[in-house]
Amino acid sequence: MWVFVVCLTALLVKLGHWIYTQTNPKYCNGKLPPGSMGFPIIGETIEFFSPYSLHDIPPFVRKRMARYGSLFRTNFVGQNVVVSTDPEVNHFIFQQEGTSFLMSYTQSFIDIFGQQSMLSYHGMAHKNLKNLILQLVGPENLKGKLMYEINEVTRRHLHSWARHGTVDIKEATSEMIFEYFAKKLISYDESKASRKLRENYKAFIDGLISFPLNIPGTAYHACLQGRKNATKVIKDLFEERKKSTTPHQDFLDLLLEEVRKEDKILNEAIAVDLVFLLLFATHETTSSAMTLLIKFISDHLEVLAELVKEHETILGSRDNEDGEITWQEYKSMTFTHMVINETVRLANIVPGIFRKALKDVEVKGKFKFLMITLTVFD
């Protein structure tokens, strides 16, 4: 009996010591900001992933700001994290990109977006991938063909929406943007495809912000399955295109050209993950921003009146009211750009980004980040 008591006591002491070290990391040496590491193993993950109003500060962050201030420590998805909501600190972090801090993501995000995605690359590799994307959506393309195509697609869908009594803005804009960029990226037409790529993206998105428990029945598992199915469609398109001699004049042609180069920066796995990430980034983030834009405008009718006035002035100065939009007209939309910028400010659809400290960094003379992931909330 006494052996059992001793073993149980030792186990409880060991467990208590482990919990203490988790909630008071040794490496902080009294320098990390205040905060809590939450429960053993799961930390504060459950509360972090709790649903909240999209265009507001997450309750998880707001609650800790009130208790600890603009800098606090926590733990979610198995990772110790320092959260910063301090504008001065955030500016300092961005200025030190590549020297004291490096772009970083939790392992669960890397698993979701792919081991070969842009999120995993830094330095020249990341710059080269970004330059490839700029060939698709860079300023020169925007001034030319891209702007006219987007204008035509938007007009067509607006006419279609006008025939309905009500329209789900988020769903309708998401469908519109996905349709356009899927064709622009990989010449994909959902209406003609046997395997529905967008359906798999919907499953992926529904579980994107969820507790990372990969077992059947969970949102996270459905998310990973959606990703798996979507990348299978993209891989099959790659294989078909490799056998084709007909140019499609899309982004996939450019990627295949890069993959075939002797001094290539791409392989097929990176190219597939890049297409997957771009399809997500273009339609999901933009449709969310557009939905909130409509909401904000409908809440402030004086803004709507000013927008109508600006655009009627532009139309009135045309020789042909139904003519194509020009770059000069786009640049003249001063108030429109102000409304868009204010929407992005109020409803940042990516409120937090991850950085990792590469070395000991002292902040404001009292806190120190020691090789720890930093989440910046703006």
Side-chain angles (χ1 to χ4, degrees):
M1 181 67 180
W2 66 270
V3 174
F4 174 77
V5 172
V6 170
C7 289
L8 181 60
T9 302
L11 178 62
L12 291 174
V13 170
K14 183 74 174 177
L15 180 62
H17 180 263
W18 185 79
I19 292 173
Y20 176 80
T21 56
Q22 284 292 305
T23 54
N24 298 274
K26 200 176 208 179
Y27 53 75
C28 76
N29 194 28
K31 294 289 186 178
L32 283 178
S36 168
M37 295 302 182
F39 295 103
I41 302 176
I42 64 172
E44 298 185 306
T45 305
I46 295 175
E47 189 176 353
F48 177 78
F49 282 118
S50 297
Y52 66 91
S53 176
L54 186 61
H55 59 281
D56 197 5
I57 298 173
F60 177 88
V61 176
R62 185 188 294 276
K63 179 180 175 181
R64 284 154 184 79
M65 286 174 64
R67 183 172 181 180
Y68 303 118
S70 61
L71 286 166
F72 60 88
R73 71 176 189 259
T74 182
N75 177 293
F76 50 80
V77 293
Q79 197 157 348
N80 293 329
V81 174
V82 169
V83 176
S84 169
T85 63
D86 187 305
E88 290 183 21
V89 174
N90 295 350
H91 179 73
F92 167 75
I93 292 165
F94 295 141
Q95 293 297 312
Q96 297 294 314
E97 180 72 25
T99 54
S100 298
F101 297 95
L102 196 65
M103 183 173 64
S104 177
Y105 292 88
T106 63
Q107 186 57 47
S108 61
F109 263 68
I110 296 297
D111 291 342
I112 287 173
F113 285 108
Q115 299 293 334
Q116 303 282 356
S117 77
M118 279 190 70
L119 306 183
S120 303
Y121 290 90
H122 307 286
M124 285 304 298
H126 185 270
K127 184 179 179 180
N128 288 332
L129 290 175
K130 189 169 76 171
N131 288 337
L132 272 176
I133 296 170
L134 286 176
Q135 294 186 50
L136 173 70
V137 292
E140 291 306 313
N141 279 347
L142 185 59
K143 289 179 183 179
K145 190 176 179 181
L146 201 63
M147 184 173 65
Y148 300 124
E149 289 176 347
I150 292 173
N151 183 51
E152 190 278 327
V153 168
T154 304
R155 280 183 169 187
R156 177 161 51 82
H157 279 266
L158 283 172
H159 285 305
S160 174
W161 300 344
R163 293 194 292 268
H164 301 280
T166 59
V167 174
D168 183 325
I169 292 295
K170 176 65 172 65
E171 177 63 21
T173 54
S174 179
E175 181 181 353
M176 176 183 70
I177 298 165
F178 186 89
E179 174 192 301
Y180 173 71
F181 275 101
K183 287 181 180 178
K184 197 74 179 172
L185 288 167
I186 53 177
S187 298
Y188 174 84
D189 189 339
E190 184 90 350
S191 64
K192 298 177 182 178
S194 57
R195 288 164 298 175
K196 303 303 181 184
L197 187 56
R198 187 162 178 262
E199 290 179 5
N200 291 310
Y201 267 93
K202 289 176 71 174
F204 167 78
I205 291 164
D206 288 344
L208 183 59
I209 305 299
S210 61
F211 191 86
L213 185 61
N214 187 18
I215 59 174
T218 64
Y220 186 72
H221 179 77
C223 174
L224 293 178
Q225 288 299 114
R227 171 191 156 69
K228 179 181 177 181
N229 294 335
T231 52
K232 177 66 167 61
V233 174
I234 297 169
K235 285 178 182 177
D236 289 347
L237 285 170
F238 261 80
E239 292 301 317
E240 291 171 12
R241 188 68 62 86
K242 282 162 60 179
K243 300 172 185 176
S244 173
T245 56
T246 305
H248 290 71
Q249 303 298 319
D250 58 11
F251 190 63
L252 184 53
D253 276 356
L254 175 63
L255 292 180
L256 284 170
E257 184 181 325
E258 291 294 330
V259 168
R260 292 183 181 124
K261 287 182 178 178
E262 289 186 12
D263 56 342
K264 60 185 178 183
I265 61 171
L266 283 181
N267 58 39
E268 288 188 27
I270 297 173
V272 168
D273 277 346
L274 183 58
V275 170
F276 176 84
L277 181 61
L278 288 175
L279 272 174
F280 162 76
T282 50
H283 88 278
E284 177 58 21
T285 57
T286 309
S287 61
S288 296
M290 289 176 69
T291 302
L292 290 166
L293 173 66
I294 298 299
K295 179 194 177 345
F296 292 152
I297 292 174
S298 64
D299 289 342
H300 299 85
L301 296 181
E302 68 280 10
V303 171
L304 176 60
E306 190 66 26
L307 285 169
V308 170
K309 179 182 175 182
E310 180 170 82
H311 288 268
E312 284 183 342
T313 300
I314 292 172
L315 291 174
S317 65
R318 287 181 176 179
D319 294 331
N320 177 11
E321 189 174 293
D322 294 325
E324 292 287 349
I325 186 174
T326 67
W327 183 251
Q328 289 72 27
E329 287 175 343
Y330 170 77
K331 294 296 289 183
S332 72
M333 298 175 186
T334 307
F335 188 74
T336 301
H337 291 305
M338 291 169 63
V339 171
I340 293 170
N341 290 336
E342 185 67 358
T343 298
V344 173
R345 186 187 73 83
L346 290 173
N348 193 340
I349 52 176
V350 186
I353 59 177
F354 292 88
R355 292 293 185 271
K356 185 174 183 178
L358 300 175
K359 57 185 179 181
D360 294 2
V361 181
E362 191 168 286
V363 177
K364 292 195 168 183
K366 56 180 178 178
F367 297 133
K368 188 177 288 187
F369 303 142
L370 298 98
M371 296 295 289
I372 192 167
T373 299
L374 184 81
T375 306
V376 179
F377 280 86
D378 188 6

